[in-house]
């Protein structure tokens, strides 16, 4: 078929229009996805994991040991901080019985009361004793087992993207990751942490201050009164309100403690971790 000048002009304009529309579509795709690199269109990248890929470890024993070894330093560091705070409070209690506290002691006590959410109108033997019930360590093996349970041995989205090993929530929009299976009408998000240390510290502070875990603190205080160390197999009953599954959740944690006992042994001292 022959075409005149007008026909050729129409065809040319049509080709130019198609080219421009195609170019515009590509540009829009680049801007919306934010995936341009030196003018090239690249595929969307999946969120980068902030922790090792524990699922890549095919040997189950190695995987479990690697997961525990990854978390253990942060747990020990945070428990050491709590142990130091506790020792300070015990000394302050002795000072209070003998003489007045210094301003520095009072300032630190007030700071610890705020940290562990204990309202103190005055500093006396009773309020210091109440604070001591909150400022105490959590057994390392219980922390490790709960982290394994809550994250599926480090495989959960919240652990990988948010360094959240204990399923902790936050309630301000944009504060964390939105659960994919969140119940309609709920507004909570799963908290995101800047480091493993922050995640562990928040979890320990939660158990030591939240009213939901007062039973855990009571069990621990009773053990202390008997000059016994806090034990995971006893304190775990204080987590009855940590999950909606309640008794079934406790039974599962106890079974995990029994089943994974060999991985919870301190490799250096060859003894169960405290």
């Amino acid at each position: 078929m022959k075409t005149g000048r007008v026909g050729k002009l129409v065809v040319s304009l049509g080709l130019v229009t198609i080219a421009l529309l195609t170019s515009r579509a590509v540009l829009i795709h680049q801007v919306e996805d934010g995936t341009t690199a030196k003018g090239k269109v690249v595929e969307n990248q999946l969120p980068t994991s902030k922790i090792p890929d524990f699922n890549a470890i095919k040997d189950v024993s190695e995987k479990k040991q690697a997961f525990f070894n990854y978390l253990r330093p942060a747990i020990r560091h945070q428990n050491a901080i709590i142990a130091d705070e506790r020792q300070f409070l015990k000394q302050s209690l002795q000072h209070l019985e003998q003489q007045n506290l210094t301003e520095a002691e009072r300032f630190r006590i007030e700071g610890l009361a705020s940290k562990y959410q204990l309202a103190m109108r005055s500093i006396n033997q009773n309020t210091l004793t109440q604070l001591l019930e909150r400022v105490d360590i959590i057994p390392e093996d219980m922390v490790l087992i709960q982290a394994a349970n809550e994250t599926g041995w480090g495989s959960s989205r919240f652990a990988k993207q948010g360094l959240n090993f204990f399923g902790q929530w936050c309630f301000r929009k944009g504060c964390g990751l939105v659960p994919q299976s969140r119940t309609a009408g709920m507004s909570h998000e799963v908290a995101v942490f800047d480091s493993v240390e922050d995640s562990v510290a928040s979890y320990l502070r939660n158990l030591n201050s939240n009213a939901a875990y007062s039973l855990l603190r009571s069990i621990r205080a009773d053990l202390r009164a008997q000059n016994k160390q806090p034990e995971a197999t006893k304190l775990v009953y204080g987590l009855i309100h940590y999950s909606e599954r309640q008794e079934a959740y406790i039974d599962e944690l106890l079974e995990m403690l029994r089943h994974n006992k060999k991985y919870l042994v301190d490799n250096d001292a060859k003894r169960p971790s405290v």
Side-chain angles (χ1 to χ4, degrees):
M1 181 179 67
K2 294 182 179 180
T3 58
R5 289 185 178 179
V6 175
K8 290 181 179 179
L9 180 59
V10 170
V11 172
S12 297
L13 288 173
L15 292 173
V16 171
T17 301
I18 292 172
L20 287 173
L21 290 173
T22 302
S23 175
R24 184 175 182 272
V26 171
L27 287 173
I28 290 174
H29 177 74
Q30 291 174 341
V31 172
E32 289 180 348
D33 289 348
T35 54
T36 58
K38 296 184 179 179
K40 297 180 180 179
V41 178
V42 297
E43 296 181 0
N44 288 337
Q45 299 296 319
L46 294 175
T48 303
S49 176
K50 296 181 179 180
I51 64 174
D53 185 4
F54 295 108
N55 279 341
I57 304 175
K58 301 306 179 184
D59 184 270
V60 175
S61 295
E62 290 182 10
K63 174 183 176 179
K64 291 182 175 182
Q65 199 66 70
F67 180 74
F68 285 160
N69 289 344
Y70 178 73
L71 287 179
R72 191 172 273 122
I75 297 169
R76 290 184 176 175
H77 181 224
Q78 292 303 319
N79 265 334
I81 291 173
I82 294 171
D84 178 73
E85 294 170 341
R86 181 173 177 80
Q87 183 60 29
F88 163 75
L89 290 175
K90 291 170 71 175
Q91 291 175 349
S92 297
L93 188 57
Q94 292 177 350
H95 293 168
L96 187 63
E97 294 171 352
Q98 300 167 0
Q99 60 186 11
N100 292 328
L101 298 173
T102 65
E103 286 300 318
E105 284 178 312
R106 289 182 176 277
F107 181 80
R108 188 177 181 188
I109 290 169
E110 289 170 356
L112 290 174
S114 176
K115 175 180 177 180
Y116 292 96
Q117 299 179 27
L118 178 65
M120 295 179 68
R121 293 186 176 181
S122 62
I123 300 175
N124 52 51
Q125 291 185 2
N126 184 48
T127 54
L128 277 181
T129 300
Q130 291 178 30
L131 187 55
L132 272 167
E133 288 189 9
R134 299 190 178 212
V135 184
D136 204 345
I137 64 169
I138 301 294
E140 182 180 297
D141 47 354
M142 192 178 91
V143 182
L144 290 170
I145 283 297
Q146 201 172 7
N149 183 281
E150 291 289 334
T151 67
W153 298 94
S155 64
S156 75
R157 167 183 166 230
F158 304 127
K160 290 179 177 180
Q161 298 178 27
L163 295 177
N164 190 329
F165 298 92
F166 307 98
Q168 297 177 87
W169 291 1
C170 57
F171 298 92
R172 177 175 49 81
K173 186 174 181 180
C175 64
L177 301 170
V178 177
Q180 295 174 346
S181 58
R182 186 172 66 183
T183 304
M186 299 287 283
S187 61
H188 70 277
E189 298 181 12
V190 177
V192 170
F193 297 96
D194 293 329
S195 68
V196 177
E197 288 273 350
D198 288 346
S199 180
V200 173
S202 178
Y203 159 80
L204 296 180
R205 188 166 57 252
N206 186 33
L207 294 190
N208 280 332
S209 59
N210 196 312
Y213 312 116
S214 59
L215 176 59
L216 180 148
R217 298 193 291 272
S218 178
I219 295 170
R220 186 176 58 190
D222 287 343
L223 290 171
R224 290 294 191 189
Q226 301 172 50
N227 292 317
K228 295 179 180 179
Q229 285 288 325
E231 297 179 20
T233 53
K234 292 183 172 61
L235 264 63
V236 72
Y237 290 98
L239 298 175
I240 190 70
H241 297 302
Y242 203 95
S243 168
E244 293 178 351
R245 297 169 56 220
Q246 296 194 325
E247 288 87 355
Y249 183 70
I250 301 304
D251 290 341
E252 188 170 280
L253 292 179
L254 286 169
E255 178 60 27
M256 289 182 71
L257 281 166
R258 286 190 290 267
H259 188 70
N260 295 283
K261 190 173 182 179
K262 63 181 179 180
Y263 306 113
L264 295 166
V265 172
D266 186 326
N267 290 328
D268 296 325
K270 298 299 181 185
R271 59 178 173 77
S273 54
V274 176

